[in-house]
Amino acid sequence: MDLTPTEMTENNEIAEQQSEAAHTHEHQHDHEHQHNHAPSLNPELTREIEVEVDADEVSKSFRTVVKRYQKLARIPGFRAGKVPESLVRSKFAKEVRQEVLESLVSERFRKAIDDQKLRPISEPQLLDMQLFDGQPLKFKAAFEVAPEIDIAGYDTVQVTKPDATLTSEEFDAELSRVLDGHATVEPVEEDRALVDGDWAEIQFRGDVKDLAQTVTEDGIENASTSEPITGEDVLVEIGGKNTLAAFNDALRGSKPGQELKFEVSYPADFGEKRLAGQTVSYDVTVKGIKHKSYPERDAEFAKQLGNYESWDDFEAKLREHTSERKKSALENGAKDKMLGEFIEKFQFPIPESFVQQQMMSVEDMRKLDFARLRDSQRDLAINEVKVSMILDRIAEAEGIEVNEEDVDRELLMLSIQSREPLETLRERLSKDGGLDRIREQMRREKTGSVLYEKLAS
């Protein structure tokens, strides 16, 4: 992990402030305060190193930085380069201390981890920082290292390849969806009854019947406390596959102006929970008959739908698109199941720093109920981190890489979507590490696809 001096010091500002508090004899309180605020690390993966720099080198670093500030500082009442050292040390104390840290801490941290052959994967947390001019610099740094991941047997995981053949019913449903989107609904003027294929325009009120009933002089009254179900100008397709049989039976053969009374007993597994398992008494008024008109299935309509030469060309492309969509959905589901098998099969400690990064940004957390959100997303974040680390390890074993042509295509798509010039996008992502993250994600997706084709049967 390559850290700049600024990253090491700025991200440990609390530790620095606490070391100063410790110098004023409040060490115990602030030491605890420090650990309460520092990001948590997985104890199984946490390593600590101790670094010490002798007092002479600390003093030399302070003198070097102070002299540079004396030359550069512009303070009213003093000529350039003639600002007293004592004034620089008091006025620029924080800046001087920061530069000393940058010059002393980062280099020695890298040397210490190299000597011990450690490779941090999280930003180091500086602990027990003690930095004062004329005294030795002492600090501890805690960080996470990558876990050992044993993927032996990954190629024995069983994956069932789903049948992605598009059925005629599925194609007809997709074609109907397209046609419905371009259909027009027109009123039927002739005096006739509703027949299958018509659309009844109705007004209705439905009262849910509770089991508890009371007997009065006027007869049995429903004791329901449920709010009535009402609707105005609702269209119901007579004989339609989504129309309840009770509505079909009651409306079929009726005419506009008729008032109907009937009951509907909804099954326990009905989609709308409010009605599931209930019996509803309906009062329905037929207000009109309407009929859906569909465009002619010809070349002219096909051209309205897109760049198609004929209606047959449109149907062929629609079938191909629908088939690919079904195949993609089923394969993604099978891949997810395969990855779930990997999660169960391979057990290793997960870096807490990766989990925290995966969950969400600090700014987003401030806007939401942190505790509730943390509980609901933590398991998901752990699994996502675990899958990523497993796929990275398998990619190494399989020698899977992403070529630059694929990366260029991905950047081009991002450029089009964001309307950001391609080269500007590339430069920005290169600077902030986004390009490396895109490569990593593309490599993981490619690894998942390679494994699926290899293991699916």
Side-chain angles (χ1 to χ4, degrees):
M1 181 173 184
D2 189 18
L3 285 175
T4 66
T6 303
E7 284 174 329
M8 281 197 62
T9 53
E10 287 185 352
N11 285 305
N12 291 277
E13 184 176 352
I14 292 175
E16 296 167 19
Q17 292 170 347
Q18 286 162 354
S19 66
E20 293 175 1
H23 193 62
T24 58
H25 309 291
E26 295 178 359
H27 175 79
Q28 183 62 36
H29 168 76
D30 287 297
H31 185 73
E32 292 172 358
H33 183 70
Q34 167 190 340
H35 283 282
N36 288 338
H37 283 75
S40 59
L41 303 176
N42 186 329
E44 293 183 74
L45 300 174
T46 300
R47 303 292 183 269
E48 281 191 8
I49 60 172
E50 295 187 20
V51 176
E52 182 171 343
V53 182
D54 63 54
D56 289 343
E57 195 163 352
V58 173
S59 294
K60 180 181 177 181
S61 182
F62 267 101
R63 286 196 301 272
T64 300
V65 175
V66 169
K67 284 181 179 179
R68 187 167 70 255
Y69 271 77
Q70 281 184 283
K71 291 179 180 179
L72 299 176
R74 296 292 182 266
I75 298 178
F78 296 94
R79 295 197 307 273
K82 299 297 183 179
V83 180
E85 179 180 330
S86 59
L87 184 57
V88 168
R89 286 181 177 270
S90 62
K91 188 173 182 62
F92 301 104
K94 183 177 180 181
E95 292 81 0
V96 168
R97 188 172 190 278
Q98 178 72 16
E99 288 199 28
V100 172
L101 280 172
E102 290 181 359
S103 65
L104 297 177
V105 172
S106 182
E107 179 183 346
R108 283 155 181 81
F109 173 78
R110 287 195 179 91
K111 185 177 185 307
I113 62 174
D114 286 343
D115 290 345
Q116 297 184 40
K117 295 182 172 55
L118 296 172
R119 289 294 174 264
I121 59 171
S122 66
E123 290 186 2
Q125 298 176 11
L126 301 186
L127 312 173
D128 301 329
M129 174 68 74
Q130 299 174 32
L131 174 60
F132 304 101
D133 192 359
Q135 297 182 22
L137 165 63
K138 296 179 181 179
F139 70 88
K140 293 179 182 177
F143 48 85
E144 287 181 309
V145 296
E148 292 292 331
I149 304 176
D150 181 3
I151 57 169
Y154 73 88
D155 51 357
T156 64
V157 170
Q158 297 295 312
V159 182
T160 302
K161 202 167 191 175
D163 181 8
T165 305
L166 185 70
T167 66
S168 58
E169 291 81 6
E170 290 168 336
F171 175 73
D172 290 343
E174 185 65 14
L175 181 59
S176 295
R177 186 189 65 78
V178 174
L179 295 173
D180 280 342
H182 293 81
T184 57
V185 181
E186 301 169 352
V188 174
E189 302 296 343
E190 62 180 297
D191 181 18
R192 66 170 179 81
L194 283 159
V195 297
D196 284 359
D198 286 336
W199 290 76
E201 182 180 2
I202 65 171
Q203 171 186 328
F204 67 86
R205 173 192 171 103
D207 292 303
V208 179
K209 296 182 69 175
D210 287 348
L211 294 176
Q213 295 178 328
T214 57
V215 179
T216 68
E217 294 179 357
D218 299 322
I220 298 176
E221 287 187 356
N222 190 8
S224 175
T225 57
S226 302
E227 290 292 323
I229 305 163
T230 60
E232 295 280 346
D233 302 327
V234 176
L235 292 178
V236 178
E237 183 182 11
I238 308 304
K241 63 180 181 179
N242 294 321
T243 305
L244 292 172
F247 274 85
N248 283 326
D249 295 342
L251 292 170
R252 188 183 289 118
S254 63
K255 288 187 173 184
Q258 279 190 250
E259 295 182 357
L260 309 170
K261 290 181 179 290
F262 57 93
E263 289 185 354
V264 177
S265 295
Y266 291 91
D269 59 353
F270 191 66
E272 188 173 342
K273 291 183 179 180
R274 179 185 177 189
L275 299 176
Q278 301 287 350
T279 297
V280 181
S281 176
Y282 282 101
D283 291 304
V284 176
T285 299
V286 180
K287 300 178 68 175
I289 301 176
K290 295 195 174 183
H291 185 74
K292 268 191 178 182
S293 296
Y294 296 92
E296 289 292 326
R297 304 183 187 185
D298 54 20
E300 183 179 350
F301 181 39
K303 289 177 181 178
Q304 292 178 26
L305 294 171
N307 187 25
Y308 305 106
E309 296 179 359
S310 64
W311 181 256
D312 288 341
D313 182 35
F314 165 72
E315 281 203 358
K317 295 292 193 333
L318 180 65
R319 186 181 298 276
E320 181 182 342
H321 173 73
T322 307
S323 180
E324 284 298 320
R325 192 171 60 192
K326 177 182 179 180
K327 179 182 177 184
S328 178
L330 290 175
E331 287 188 351
N332 286 337
K335 288 177 186 177
D336 287 343
K337 188 174 181 180
M338 175 187 73
L339 295 177
E341 294 287 336
F342 288 149
I343 289 174
E344 293 297 322
K345 186 177 182 66
F346 304 119
Q347 301 299 322
F348 53 89
I350 307 299
E352 182 63 26
S353 55
F354 286 7
V355 175
Q356 297 299 322
Q357 291 170 15
Q358 187 68 34
M359 287 177 69
M360 66 184 341
S361 71
V362 174
E363 279 302 315
D364 290 336
M365 284 293 189
R366 286 174 182 164
K367 300 172 187 175
L368 301 167
D369 182 343
F370 178 83
R372 179 183 58 80
L373 189 65
R374 184 183 181 89
D375 290 341
S376 64
Q377 291 202 345
R378 181 170 176 78
D379 289 344
L380 178 61
I382 289 174
N383 284 342
E384 289 175 347
V385 169
K386 190 172 183 180
V387 163
S388 296
M389 299 185 77
I390 292 171
L391 289 176
D392 288 345
R393 182 71 184 84
I394 294 176
E396 293 175 10
E398 293 278 341
I400 298 172
E401 296 294 343
V402 175
N403 59 50
E404 287 305 309
E405 290 80 4
D406 291 336
V407 176
D408 288 342
R409 278 194 293 271
E410 183 70 16
L411 289 180
L412 179 60
M413 292 302 298
L414 290 174
S415 172
I416 294 171
Q417 292 169 5
S418 64
R419 299 182 180 179
E420 184 176 2
L422 179 58
E423 291 309 314
T424 303
L425 175 67
R426 187 192 300 274
E427 183 178 356
R428 177 174 63 79
L429 291 175
S430 296
K431 287 180 178 178
D432 66 13
L435 194 56
D436 288 337
R437 290 192 292 272
I438 288 173
R439 283 197 183 93
E440 286 177 353
Q441 187 57 34
M442 290 179 67
R443 188 188 189 205
R444 289 163 186 161
E445 290 173 0
K446 185 175 180 179
T447 302
S449 296
V450 169
L451 285 175
Y452 174 74
E453 292 301 326
K454 182 176 181 177
L455 303 178
S457 59

